Amino acid sequence: MKILYYDNISKEGCNYYKDIIKYLSKMCNVSVVNKKNLKKRIKQINPDLIIIGFGITGKNKDFDINNIEDKNIPIFVILNKLYGGLEIKMEWLKRNINPKPKKIFCVEHQPEKYEKMSNIPCKRIMWSADHEIFRIIDIKYKYDLLFSGVINYKQTKNLRKKIFDKILKI
């Protein structure tokens, strides 16, 4: 299966933006396309389906895609960061993507709510659980520590580092 994965992934982007491509690529032929020449790339690749990725819907306005205009290619959308600009994202889904997406995916806990708001089937997916990293390790250790949630510098003034520094003093 040929997948055109449309996203604006940067080198410093979140792991889960890239991980989904990594694992899709193990099963399918995935071409990652950014903002430039989307319609041209669709014609070149002739994909079986299009996935609009995390990075496109991670912002709250000015989405980078409108009408694809090829009625024969099914479109799937991964909604991201629904805590910001939810109404804008739902209106965008209903009015600006043509053809209408076959399904939307989200990492939030309320897929039924988003399905009702958009009138598009919605399924919750899991993310940030790379089994190559999070696996059983046969090593005896004294402590087991997991950082989870939003604790990076931009959002919490480097709470992750503050926690780690305190742990090092133990």
Side-chain angles (χ1 to χ4, degrees), residues 11-141:
K11 288 181 182 176
E12 59 277 344
C14 297
N15 285 350
Y16 63 92
Y17 285 28
K18 298 172 194 138
D19 287 347
I20 196 162
I21 296 167
K22 174 181 169 182
Y23 287 101
L24 279 172
S25 295
K26 291 182 179 201
M27 300 176 289
C28 304
N29 180 3
V30 178
S31 298
V32 180
V33 176
N34 62 20
K35 296 181 211 179
K36 297 180 181 177
N37 303 317
L38 177 61
K39 290 180 184 179
K40 180 180 175 184
R41 296 289 286 141
I42 290 170
K43 287 180 183 175
Q44 289 173 339
I45 296 167
N46 190 27
D48 298 309
L49 64 92
I50 295 171
I51 298 175
I52 299 172
F54 286 105
I56 301 299
T57 63
K59 45 191 167 171
N60 296 333
K61 59 181 181 175
D62 301 325
F63 301 110
D64 297 326
I65 187 170
N66 286 313
N67 294 333
I68 291 175
E69 297 173 1
D70 190 326
K71 307 286 188 227
N72 298 318
I73 304 173
I75 298 172
F76 298 83
V77 179
I78 301 173
L79 292 176
N80 194 17
K81 301 183 180 175
L82 292 173
Y83 49 80
L86 178 60
E87 292 79 18
I88 295 169
K89 291 173 185 181
M90 292 297 136
E91 284 304 310
W92 172 74
L93 278 171
K94 291 190 277 188
R95 291 189 172 35
N96 291 79
I97 300 180
N98 186 15
K100 180 180 170 181
K102 296 283 185 195
K103 186 172 271 194
I104 53 179
F105 299 96
C106 69
V107 297
E108 309 284 334
H109 297 268
Q110 300 174 319
E112 301 84 11
K113 173 183 175 180
Y114 310 127
E115 184 169 324
K116 190 173 186 177
M117 289 177 78
S118 66
N119 202 25
I120 300 169
C122 183
K123 173 110 174 109
R124 181 172 182 230
I125 58 172
M126 303 314 235
W127 56 277
S128 292
D130 185 336
H131 73 275
E132 292 174 6
I133 296 170
F134 300 98
R135 65 190 186 285
I136 296 173
I137 300 173
D138 214 12
I139 298 173
K140 300 269 187 218
Y141 51 87

